[in-house]
Amino acid sequence: EMACAGEDHGRAAFIASAGYGSVYYMTDPGNVSRGGVAAFAPPATLTIGTKYRLTGQVQEFFGETEFSNILEATSLGASTAQASVNVLVSNVARDTCDYSNLPLATDNLLDGEDYEGRLVKVPSAKVVQRFLTLPTNGFHIVDLSTTPDTIFVENFNAVLAAGTYTGPALAHQVSVTGFVHYSGGSFR
């Protein structure tokens, strides 16, 4: 839960769930809808699996919600590791920002904002080519279903074999687990 201390500052308690260089993904207990946020350059190294109280600036940084200019990162002790949530590519890739304060049962339109900053798993997908030149920092996948939607699986901050990363072969069937991130105008 985020409590705003001012117009653009906030204080919240989250579990440090992943670290990618200077960016950490912080999630609410239970990995709930819209319960994740990026924390950029906290004043101390965060331990994955520990709950922290963060105080800092809350902003949209090129479309991704993040804490920045973090003044406080106080450990609140060990917590339970977050389990991934199974998702469809069509839901995670959708960028409609449909949030309407309606309960999900009424609203019923899941989109990338519902999963931003959260640990997700696409249990069954196929690697596809979206552009003539294949990217060198990730790969595109499509659900093994009837939807043609794709999402880019990014080697964020070069955490996977920095400088030597090679993605899976085209048409290879994969299961992908990671954190939903907004970059370059799309959810990844």
Side-chain angles (χ1 to χ4, degrees), residues 72-153:
E72 173 198 24
T74 301
S75 172
L76 301 176
S79 188
T80 305
Q82 299 295 306
S84 61
V85 175
N86 284 351
V87 297
L88 296 173
V89 168
S90 58
N91 289 342
V92 177
R94 187 179 296 122
D95 188 9
T96 59
C97 196
D98 70 290
Y99 190 65
S100 61
N101 292 325
L102 294 174
L104 196 53
T106 305
D107 193 1
N108 239 2
L109 181 62
L110 295 171
D111 68 9
E113 287 285 341
D114 294 312
Y115 299 104
E116 183 181 13
R118 294 176 59 204
L119 181 61
V120 301
K121 179 179 183 178
V122 178
S124 189
K126 181 172 71 172
V127 178
V128 295
Q129 183 170 353
R130 279 207 51 213
F131 303 106
L132 185 58
T133 304
L134 289 173
T136 59
N137 65 331
F139 53 95
H140 288 89
I141 60 171
V142 63
D143 275 315
L144 293 179
S145 65
T146 58
T147 67
D149 298 308
T150 64
I151 195 166
F152 187 60
V153 179

Side-chain angles (χ1 to χ4, degrees), residues 174-188:
V174 295
S175 172
V176 178
T177 301
F179 285 82
V180 177
H181 164 67
Y182 193 86
S183 178
S186 67
F187 288 102
R188 298 163 180 240

